[in-house]
Every structure is written in structure tokens, then in C-alpha cells.
Amino acid sequence: MTPEELLGKVHDRPSFVSFVHALAEERELAMAEEQADPARYCLDGARDWKNADIASFLYAALTLFEDHHPNEAPSWSRFAEFLYSGKVIE
């Protein structure tokens, strides 16, 4: 399953781990596609990846979480949303 398909199903540790595995596997596939055709992916990454390096990924994820819901209790689904945000937010 894709990260998008798994994101809404994250509710506990095992489902979070499955989501992270899918996200990492998808990034590996996207990197291979980007390396095979760099001109095609010069603006955006393959498979809708907006942030290829870890710093950009983390900063993008933070933009959604820094000011929203400061008193919200952490959960497996919110952790998954944080990671997914790093993929799709520029």
C-alpha cells in the first residue's frame, strides 16, 4: 500500500511502523526515478515528493505543526501526519 493509503489507518505502533516503511520505500523509488530522469524532476520530485533532503523535509513538516494545536496530546496518527507533511509541503 502507498503512504497515502496507510496514513488514515495509523492508530497504533504497528500501523505507524507500516506507514513509515511505506514512506521510506516510496522515497527510495522516487530517488531512483529522479536519478534516471533528472530533467523531468528538476522542479518537483517523483511521486509528489517536494523535499529530497532531510533538512528541507523536516522544516516542511514543522510548518504544519509549529503553531497548530499546541496543547494536543501526541498520537501515532499525528506522528504519521508530521512525516507525511515533510513529503508534500514545500
Side-chain angles (χ1 to χ4, degrees):
M1 295 183 88
T2 69
E4 289 79 9
E5 293 169 328
L6 292 171
L7 181 61
K9 298 177 181 184
V10 174
H11 63 279
D12 59 7
R13 181 186 165 106
S15 58
F16 175 76
V17 170
S18 294
F19 167 77
V20 175
H21 274 289
L23 193 65
E25 290 168 6
E26 183 187 70
R27 183 64 200 132
E28 287 180 331
L29 293 171
M31 287 186 334
E33 292 171 19
E34 292 161 4
Q35 290 173 352
D37 192 357
R40 180 177 179 187
Y41 299 109
C42 65
L43 296 177
D44 279 333
R47 298 178 184 249
D48 296 324
W49 277 83
K50 305 295 183 197
N51 303 290
D53 65 90
I54 191 67
S56 298
F57 177 88
L58 292 172
Y59 283 128
L62 281 172
T63 62
L64 184 62
F65 283 80
E66 282 184 317
D67 298 323
H68 295 89
H69 312 288
N71 297 323
E72 180 181 24
S75 68
W76 292 112
S77 62
R78 292 300 281 168
F79 291 141
E81 290 171 11
F82 174 82
L83 293 175
Y84 186 74
S85 297
K87 171 190 171 183
V88 299
I89 294 176
E90 291 185 61

